[in-house]
Amino acid sequence: MREVDNANPSILNVSQLPSRNRKVTTPRQGPDSKCDNIVYSKRPWLCGSSSSEDEDLEEEYGEDPVDAQDIYDLISPISDPEHPHTLGQLSVVQLPDIHLTPPPAECRGDKLVTVTVDLTPTVNHCSLATVIGLAVRYRLEQTLPPNYRFDVRMKDGSHAQDDQVNKQLGDKERVAAALENDTLKGMLDKMLETCV
C-alpha cells in the first residue's frame, strides 16, 4: 500500500464549514436552495426548451445569480483521494479563494462568467494535487451552465510545483485527455460519490 503524504492533516468539523444560515420555518415550493436549482434544474440546452412550470417558478422566486458560496457548496463535498474526508473539511477548498468575474450582481442572462478557484493542498509536495484540481474542474463543468469558464489552480506558494500543476490544469487538451483515461475517470467518479 502506498504511503500517505500527510497522515495527520488538520480536519474541520462539518459544522465549521461555511454555509448559508437560513431560517426556513415552513417548506416552500420550488427549489430549497440556489444550488439545487443549478444541479437539478432542467437545462434547456440539454432538454430542448423549458416548461411553463419552470418559467412560473422563476417568475415567483426570481433567478439568483450563482455566487462563491454556491460554488463552494458544489465542490467542498468532493472526497480527498488519500483521506476519508472532503476537500472542505481538509481546507483544500476555502470560500475566500473562490472568485467570480464579473461579480454575481452583474451576472444576468447568458453573460460569460469566469470562476477562479485557488486550491490549498494539505502539504506542499502533495502528489495528487493535479487529480484534486481535475476533480474540482470536472465537478464544475458537469453542474454549471455552458456560459461558465473555469480557472482551477494551486494557490501561489502552496505547492512545491504549483506552476507545473497550474499549467496542467489550465491546458484544455491535457484535461480532455485525462478525462478519457478510464483509470483516472474511475478515480474522479469515486471522489465525486460524496457530492449530492
Side-chain angles (χ1 to χ4, degrees), residues 56-84:
D56 293 343
L57 284 175
E58 188 173 317
E59 284 178 24
E60 185 176 342
Y61 295 107
E63 185 178 328
D64 293 330
V66 174
D67 62 8
Q69 180 68 54
D70 294 325
I71 302 298
Y72 180 84
D73 291 342
L74 287 171
I75 62 178
S76 67
I78 297 173
S79 294
D80 185 88
E82 290 185 313
H83 301 287

Side-chain angles (χ1 to χ4, degrees), residues 55-186:
E55 292 169 6
D56 293 343
L57 284 175
E58 188 173 317
E59 284 178 24
E60 185 176 342
Y61 295 107
E63 185 178 328
D64 293 330
V66 174
D67 62 8
Q69 180 68 54
D70 294 325
I71 302 298
Y72 180 84
D73 291 342
L74 287 171
I75 62 178
S76 67
I78 297 173
S79 294
D80 185 88
E82 290 185 313
H83 301 287
H85 301 287
T86 67
L87 299 183
Q89 289 174 313
L90 294 170
S91 297
V92 173
V93 174
Q94 299 174 35
L95 187 58
D97 295 333
I98 299 172
H99 308 283
L100 282 83
T101 309
E106 299 173 19
C107 298
R108 296 285 181 198
D110 290 339
K111 192 171 189 178
L112 190 63
V113 179
T114 301
V115 177
T116 303
V117 179
D118 292 329
L119 303 175
T120 307
T122 54
V123 292
N124 70 349
H125 57 278
C126 178
S127 60
L128 294 173
T130 306
V131 174
I132 292 170
L134 187 60
V136 169
R137 184 180 179 110
Y138 181 65
R139 170 75 171 156
L140 294 173
E141 286 176 354
Q142 296 299 311
T143 55
L144 293 176
N147 61 313
Y148 282 78
R149 300 295 179 262
F150 311 104
D151 183 16
V152 178
R153 58 186 181 208
M154 295 295 122
K155 196 177 209 178
D156 288 338
S158 67
H159 194 277
Q161 299 174 335
D162 56 4
D163 54 336
Q164 292 175 1
V165 173
N166 292 341
K167 185 177 179 180
Q168 289 178 346
L169 292 172
D171 188 340
K172 291 179 184 178
E173 290 178 10
R174 286 187 187 185
V175 169
L179 293 175
E180 291 177 6
N181 180 320
D182 290 335
T183 305
L184 188 55
K185 183 78 168 61

Side-chain angles (χ1 to χ4, degrees), residues 16-72:
Q16 294 173 306
L17 299 178
S19 66
R20 293 197 197 285
N21 293 324
R22 292 187 185 179
K23 293 182 180 179
V24 180
T25 54
T26 58
R28 63 180 194 188
Q29 293 181 341
D32 291 333
S33 72
K34 289 190 285 185
C35 286
D36 287 347
N37 188 25
I38 295 167
V39 176
Y40 301 113
S41 68
K42 293 182 181 175
R43 299 177 182 162
W45 62 90
L46 295 176
C47 305
S49 64
S50 62
S51 68
S52 61
E53 183 179 306
D54 291 338
E55 292 169 6
D56 293 343
L57 284 175
E58 188 173 317
E59 284 178 24
E60 185 176 342
Y61 295 107
E63 185 178 328
D64 293 330
V66 174
D67 62 8
Q69 180 68 54
D70 294 325
I71 302 298
Y72 180 84

